[in-house]
């Protein structure tokens, strides 16, 4: 439903209703298996798609309290933290990076405990969960932002994200390129909208 919503293949109200219903259906799984982290993870993922970031974060902390070695939960927590602080992570030319760096460090620590490169699918099978392209997209975005805060070389961020976009045309890459590339920002926002016409974020930032 997230994909259909972003691609504008379904009316937004209907897509959100169905996604909300699917998320709420997980309550029964959690009630039956309250000590398993998977239910909280699945509900958190739905809440992330719905924009309910605080609720998603709370579910993930509950999952990780059940199993500290639950790598999928750490990876998704990093994504939630990245989304919560997306606009403050990089403010090009503002000279103010303290808040963004703190938020990014928090996301980075969670990613360090999340999916292991080249072992994602094995780890997913271990927990009976999928590993998706979306996880890798967010990992590459985070790595690019970390490089910026470490080296303060904006061109390296653009190069990393451009390389990622050339390998896989994803609207998240286009959105972040719009945020870090002032000269081509409008063009990248247009690409994000072209790839995901039903996604409200690039429309709001245009």
């Amino acid at each position: 439903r997230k994909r259909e919503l972003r691609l504008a293949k379904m009316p937004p109200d209907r897509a959100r209703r169905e996604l909300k219903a699917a998320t709420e259906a997980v309550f029964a799984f959690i009630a039956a298996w309250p000590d398993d982290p998977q239910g909280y993870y699945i509900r958190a993922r739905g809440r992330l798609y719905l924009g309910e970031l605080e609720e998603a974060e709370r579910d993930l902390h509950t999952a990780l309290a059940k199993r500290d070695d639950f790598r999928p939960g750490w990876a998704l927590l990093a994504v939630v933290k990245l989304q919560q602080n997306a606009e403050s992570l990089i403010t090009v030319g503002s000279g103010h990076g303290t808040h963004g760096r703190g938020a990014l460090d928090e996301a980075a620590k969670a990613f360090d405990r999340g999916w292991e490169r080249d072992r994602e699918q094995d780890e997913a099978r271990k927990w009976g969960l999928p590993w998706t392209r979306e996880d890798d997209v967010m990992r590459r975005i985070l790595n690019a932002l970390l490089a910026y805060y470490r080296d303060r070389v904006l061109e390296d961020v653009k190069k990393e994200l451009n390389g990622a976009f050339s390998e896989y045309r994803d609207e998240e890459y286009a959105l972040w390129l719009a945020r870090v590339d002032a000269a081509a920002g409008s063009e990248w926002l247009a690409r994000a909208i072209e790839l995901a016409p039903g996604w409200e974020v690039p429309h709001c930032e245009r």
Side-chain angles (χ1 to χ4, degrees):
R1 286 297 177 260
K2 173 195 171 184
R3 209 59 223 151
E4 291 176 339
L5 179 61
R6 285 196 176 185
L7 293 175
K9 290 186 175 181
M10 178 182 289
D13 289 346
R14 177 186 167 191
R16 291 185 182 279
R17 281 198 307 271
E18 292 189 9
L19 182 55
K20 185 77 172 178
T23 300
E24 290 176 350
V26 184
F27 280 79
F29 181 93
I30 292 173
W33 291 280
D35 294 324
D36 290 349
Q38 291 92 330
Y40 302 98
Y41 171 89
I42 294 169
R43 189 169 68 183
R45 193 144 203 152
R47 285 174 162 173
L48 170 63
Y49 296 158
L50 288 165
E52 300 171 357
L53 300 181
E54 291 185 6
E55 293 84 350
E57 182 179 3
R58 186 162 55 246
D59 271 342
L60 291 168
H61 282 303
T62 300
L64 294 167
K66 306 289 183 184
R67 288 293 301 267
D68 188 62
D69 61 339
F70 183 49
R71 287 186 175 276
W74 286 110
L76 189 59
L77 178 61
V79 173
V80 169
K81 298 304 296 183
L82 190 59
Q83 292 297 100
Q84 282 178 332
N85 299 282
E87 293 183 3
S88 64
L89 291 180
I90 280 189
T91 306
V92 179
S94 71
H96 301 292
T98 303
H99 176 70
R101 178 57 192 262
L104 192 60
D105 285 345
E106 193 172 352
K109 288 176 182 177
F111 259 111
D112 283 344
R113 302 192 65 180
W115 300 115
E116 288 186 274
R117 177 67 70 179
D118 299 325
R119 296 189 60 188
E120 296 95 342
Q121 294 184 29
D122 289 341
E123 189 71 20
R125 280 194 293 268
K126 170 184 173 181
W127 296 101
L129 296 169
W131 178 81
T132 68
R133 170 80 72 168
E134 180 180 350
D135 295 298
D136 196 52
V137 168
M138 297 310 296
R139 180 207 294 270
R140 292 194 70 169
I141 291 171
L142 181 67
N143 286 341
L145 297 176
L146 283 171
Y148 170 74
Y149 281 109
R150 183 182 63 244
D151 304 324
R152 294 291 174 175
V153 181
L154 196 57
E155 290 304 315
D156 288 349
V157 181
K158 296 178 190 177
K159 182 178 179 180
E160 171 66 22
L161 293 177
N162 268 293
F165 186 83
S166 68
E167 293 173 18
Y168 180 67
R169 290 168 54 85
D170 187 271
E171 64 271 13
E172 296 279 359
Y173 292 141
L175 177 64
W176 278 100
L177 278 161
R179 289 169 172 167
V180 302
D181 190 346
S186 296
E187 179 184 343
W188 282 113
L189 282 175
R191 290 192 186 185
I193 291 168
E194 178 186 357
L195 291 167
W199 189 26
E200 69 276 9
V201 175
H203 288 282
C204 292
E205 295 193 17
R206 200 171 194 179

